[in-house]
């Protein structure tokens, strides 16, 4: 069987997240249906990981197996004709039959966009999080550096979620200010449930002066969810890149 | 009476254009209703001009008269609480009682965004126009220069529209390429109905090689709508700035 890897952009606003579930519009289900319509097969689409309701993807990665002999370069266009415009397959490539979008993932990059202007934006309201109080970006830049490296992020995951281990490594972080927008990026070997949204929520508390940058290591080490910031809303979050070994 | 000028951002996708009309959601009607709710008065809101269904505004300008004594700095927040999030009042200022948003307008700037990448965007599908064929931007840059200056734009307005005169002056034009996006801006003393969308449609024909840049003066002079390009869809168009004497 052929193993096809696809890169997907989607507008999270229109869906109840990635994962297939009955009666709720979801991205996985929509794409599986579209591929089934063009191949005539039942399709199982494996993504690098789920994204929550409202979270966007610039380049989610997923793979599926098929016996169809449709040429690889025709696959994105063919699938796109069967999809809503809020999901677009950007490219497709043939990969080794053992390739698995989730197990083989080496690192992921997430972006979070904060609008720190005077007024919320009408045009970008579903694509960013609005903070009217002026944030101290220099302090946020100091604070984010403490998240780099391997840490137990027990205090930075949604309560009640069970993962075997909450140790993750963050390879790279960045914060850029572009006029009113603050753009935060995190690259790591994996992220716990809500972890990016809680880290950025904590950075917002730093920007507001509620937490000092130097307090971050202690907050991470405490493993105490209540000491980290709040979980920011999903519409500011983007899965930007998924990289493989 | 106080005369209040407001600057408005809106997402055109959600409305049947600026102009008030019964039974169809429109921007003017929504804002008049919101202001009436906070002032208790009947309000007439005068904009710099209408925008069509689907056309966005970064900074539309409008004014209204009121006897309310609500402090000027509170006005944007007060109106915004009564509006959908797809309309935001960005600022308000007190102006001379004779100020009129349309009559006193000196110049307007419009922007049109073309996505010239390989795939349409899921995230920006309502904020740009997708052209899959590779456009020759250098030729488009040559062509747009011919639109500068005072011309009779008879061939660049929607057929059937009657304006006293179709002579307009374009003061400034620009085309920038930013990765896959082509961003076109036009500043002029006024624009006929659909004029920007027809000019950009003609520039797309230049980019596709259907029209040579040097043919533009002849096409303008002919006054023949059929020689200009097609009217591009509204979702790529933004009213960016309105300036006054």
């Amino acid at each position: 069987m052929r193993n096809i890897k696809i890169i997907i952009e989607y507008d999270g606003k229109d869906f109840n997240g990635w994962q297939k579930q009955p009666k709720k519009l979801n991205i996985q289900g929509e794409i599986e249906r579209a591929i089934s319509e063009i191949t005539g097969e039942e399709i199982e689409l494996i993504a690098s990981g789920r994204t929550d309701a409202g979270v966007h993807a610039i380049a989610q990665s997923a793979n599926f197996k098929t016996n169809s002999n449709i040429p690889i370069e025709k696959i994105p266009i063919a699938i796109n004709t069967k999809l809503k415009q809020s999901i677009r397959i950007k490219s497709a490539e043939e990969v080794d039959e053992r390739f698995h979008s989730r197990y083989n993932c080496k690192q992921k990059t997430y972006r979070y966009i904060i609008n720190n202007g005077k007024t919320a934006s009408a045009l970008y309201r579903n694509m960013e999080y609005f903070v009217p109080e002026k944030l101290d970006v220099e302090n946020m830049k100091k604070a984010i550096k403490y998240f780099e490296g391997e840490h137990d992020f027990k205090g930075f995951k949604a309560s009640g979620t069970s993962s075997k281990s909450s140790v993750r490594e963050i390879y790279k972080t960045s914060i850029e200010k572009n006029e009113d927008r603050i753009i935060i990026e995190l690259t790591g070997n994996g992220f716990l449930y809500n972890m990016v949204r809680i880290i950025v929520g904590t950075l917002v508390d730093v920007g507001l002066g509620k937490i000092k940058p130097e307090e971050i290591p202690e907050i991470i080490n405490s493993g105490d969810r209540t000491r980290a910031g709040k979980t920011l809303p999903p519409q500011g979050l983007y899965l930007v890149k998924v990289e493989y070994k």
Side-chain angles (χ1 to χ4, degrees), chain A:
Chain A
M1 274 186 119
R2 296 166 81 195
N3 192 6
I4 311 287
K5 179 188 168 203
I6 55 177
I7 305 294
I8 312 149
E9 176 183 341
Y10 49 81
D11 181 346
K13 169 177 60 66
D14 291 7
F15 303 95
N16 292 283
W18 172 269
Q19 199 182 15
K20 199 155 55 169
Q21 48 188 316
K23 291 184 187 166
K24 286 189 164 181
L25 197 64
N26 60 84
I27 300 143
Q28 181 186 6
E30 284 300 294
I31 303 176
E32 287 184 352
R33 177 196 48 70
I35 301 172
S36 290
E37 282 178 37
I38 64 163
T39 62
E41 301 163 331
E42 204 163 309
I43 293 292
E44 194 199 344
L45 186 65
I46 299 156
S48 69
R50 306 171 192 169
T51 53
D52 281 342
V55 174
H56 311 295
I58 307 279
Q60 168 70 287
S61 184
N63 71 294
F64 64 93
K65 303 212 168 169
T66 178
N67 285 314
S68 154
N69 53 15
I70 173 168
I72 191 73
E73 70 277 9
K74 297 253 166 82
I75 287 179
I77 299 167
I79 305 177
N80 283 338
T81 59
K82 305 291 183 187
L83 286 172
K84 295 170 193 298
Q85 293 191 310
S86 44
I87 306 176
R88 288 293 96 178
I89 311 302
K90 294 166 93 176
S91 63
E93 66 172 312
E94 203 123 11
V95 288
D96 188 278
E97 61 173 339
R98 288 162 303 180
F99 174 83
H100 189 285
S101 292
R102 183 150 46 89
Y103 299 152
N104 296 151
C105 173
K106 193 184 67 176
Q107 61 185 49
K108 284 186 194 178
T109 300
Y110 279 96
R111 180 181 299 156
Y112 200 94
I113 303 180
I114 295 170
N115 174 359
N116 198 208
K118 279 196 294 185
T119 322
S121 167
L123 276 157
Y124 300 101
R125 67 196 184 283
N126 295 311
M127 304 170 104
E128 62 188 20
Y129 173 58
F130 173 57
V131 179
E133 302 86 2
K134 187 85 185 156
L135 297 174
D136 182 332
V137 178
E138 290 313 307
N139 270 347
M140 293 169 73
K141 284 182 178 177
K142 284 178 204 159
I144 200 172
K145 289 294 156 197
Y146 291 110
F147 288 98
E148 293 185 1
E150 193 176 80
H151 302 283
D152 186 338
F153 286 101
K154 204 164 63 169
F156 289 82
K157 65 180 174 75
S159 55
T161 54
S162 59
S163 308
K164 278 175 204 145
S165 161
S166 48
V167 174
R168 295 289 184 277
E169 186 171 354
I170 295 183
Y171 301 125
K172 206 181 145 191
T173 64
S174 71
I175 301 189
E176 270 182 54
K177 184 103 200 266
N178 185 354
E179 293 181 15
D180 286 338
R181 267 68 186 186
I182 300 169
I183 298 139
I184 298 166
E185 288 197 359
L186 294 159
T187 301
N189 62 359
F191 293 90
L192 303 164
Y193 190 57
N194 281 357
M195 179 170 148
V196 178
R197 289 156 63 183
I198 298 169
I199 289 177
V200 180
T202 308
L203 293 172
V204 167
D205 281 350
V206 170
L208 292 169
K210 292 184 192 170
I211 295 175
K212 294 197 186 89
E214 312 81 63
E215 294 178 76
I216 297 293
E218 201 343 63
I219 292 170
I220 297 173
N221 291 337
S222 75
D224 181 356
R225 173 70 192 86
T226 65
R227 295 197 53 192
K230 67 174 179 178
T231 306
L232 296 191
Q235 78 272 9
L237 186 61
Y238 299 73
L239 174 56
V240 169
K241 207 198 275 185
V242 183
E243 289 166 276
Y244 291 93
K245 293 174 183 102

